[in-house]
Amino acid sequence: MPSELQVELKPILDVKILEKLEMFNGRSECWESWLTGFESLAGLIGLDNLMAISVQPGLSWSETALSQLGGDDVRLKAKALWYLLTQACKGKSQNIVKKAEKFNGVQAWKLLMEDYRPVMAGRFTA
């Protein structure tokens, strides 16, 4: 019999999608290649907007807490993203994901993006 959590996440996370999840070894030189595939997979299951929100400039850590994320649907998607990241990330990247609030994929994604793709001064100018 499926657990309550499995039933809750089933509409978002399908086992067939998880089979396509590529592992990220945590090495910086592999980030961009992994990122493209992960963003594509996450977009297919409707997590892309949540990921985009998490990297908005000026978004504070407290604003990404589960209690601040909005309704149950948003928190459910944050949980799905957290599960994907905990399964996909190994090594250094796994340690980064572990720093986020449990079940909070928004914070985990924010931390990964800050570490592997920091905003460079002047990047968006010109």
Side-chain angles (χ1 to χ4, degrees):
M1 185 160 150
S3 73
E4 184 178 325
L5 182 59
Q6 288 171 323
V7 171
E8 186 178 76
L9 291 174
K10 187 163 179 57
I12 297 174
L13 296 179
D14 187 313
V15 173
K16 291 176 186 172
I17 294 226
L18 293 176
E19 290 172 355
K20 299 186 184 310
L21 184 62
E22 185 181 335
M23 296 298 128
F24 176 51
N25 59 17
R27 295 191 343 240
S28 295
E29 63 270 14
C30 300
W31 169 256
E32 291 298 325
S33 173
W34 176 82
L35 177 64
T36 301
F38 186 83
E39 286 180 326
S40 176
L41 181 76
L44 288 173
I45 55 177
L47 301 177
D48 48 336
N49 288 337
L50 190 65
M51 293 162 61
I53 289 168
S54 72
V55 295
Q56 288 180 351
L59 188 67
S60 72
W61 183 256
S62 62
E63 291 173 309
T64 62
L66 281 174
S67 62
Q68 301 298 311
L69 290 181
D72 290 341
D73 57 326
V74 176
R75 286 192 291 278
L76 184 61
K77 286 183 177 184
K79 185 184 286 187
L81 180 57
W82 184 83
Y83 276 112
L84 282 178
L85 291 171
T86 58
Q87 292 299 306
C89 294
K90 303 296 174 217
K92 175 187 169 188
S93 61
Q94 185 177 48
N95 292 332
I96 292 169
V97 170
K98 286 180 183 179
K99 292 178 184 177
E101 178 182 18
K102 188 173 185 177
F103 304 129
N104 191 337
V106 173
Q107 280 185 350
W109 188 248
K110 180 176 179 57
L111 289 169
L112 284 169
M113 291 297 282
E114 286 173 353
D115 194 88
Y116 286 99
R117 191 183 255 186
V119 178
M120 294 175 253
R123 179 175 170 191
F124 297 109
T125 58

